[in-house]
Amino acid sequence: MADALVTLFSAQGLPMRYSEANRWHYERHCALLAPMFAQLRDSFQGAVGENQSLIDTILNALSHRAHGLRQGHWRTTWPLLLHTLRDIDICSHPDVEFEPEPDPRQALDRYLDPPAPSG
């Protein structure tokens, strides 16, 4: 069975061909998402093992309660994680047209600090 090939384009507009992406492709080898992963790594304050995915580490570190997102780095890490996952989705499906989504920071703020009921 032949490997599936994916064509992406570098910042210079040159085609980059990769075999089917694996769990490490976007995190370690994709120049398009490198800045996003750097921001995510800088935001997350936990330790990431050498053979552990940053995304897995962040998801495993999530609090079991929503109020945990109010504390520490989560106000920046959570929205960055959502942006990163969306960018991975877009890169994984280059032929799909994605609908705009609300900014995760605004959604998180509305969830954690809902407006007071009027009346």
Side-chain angles (χ1 to χ4, degrees):
M1 179 174 181
D3 286 339
L5 292 178
V6 176
T7 302
L8 297 174
F9 294 90
S10 69
Q12 296 80 22
L14 301 173
M16 302 182 304
R17 295 188 67 77
Y18 291 99
S19 294
E20 189 172 299
N22 63 34
R23 70 179 284 117
W24 299 111
H25 171 75
Y26 292 112
E27 187 169 339
R28 295 185 179 175
H29 307 293
C30 181
L32 296 171
L33 294 181
M36 196 62 141
F37 273 101
Q39 284 182 336
L40 190 58
R41 181 64 198 104
D42 290 345
S43 175
F44 182 64
Q45 296 173 352
V48 181
E50 185 176 319
N51 291 321
Q52 190 172 17
S53 162
L54 175 60
I55 291 175
D56 289 346
T57 301
I58 292 171
L59 291 174
N60 288 334
L62 276 171
S63 173
H64 294 277
R65 297 187 181 358
H67 77 275
L69 293 175
R70 291 180 193 266
Q71 302 167 357
H73 62 87
W74 289 110
R75 284 276 225 203
T76 56
T77 301
W78 182 248
L80 283 170
L81 176 64
L82 295 181
H83 278 295
T84 303
L85 292 173
R86 178 168 169 82
D87 288 351
I88 289 171
D89 199 16
I90 290 168
C91 287
S92 297
H93 304 95
D95 297 330
V96 175
E97 193 169 318
F98 286 80
E99 296 291 325
E101 291 185 5
D103 182 359
R105 283 181 182 85
Q106 291 173 348
L108 181 61
D109 289 344
R110 280 194 306 270
Y111 177 73
L112 294 176
D113 300 316
S118 60

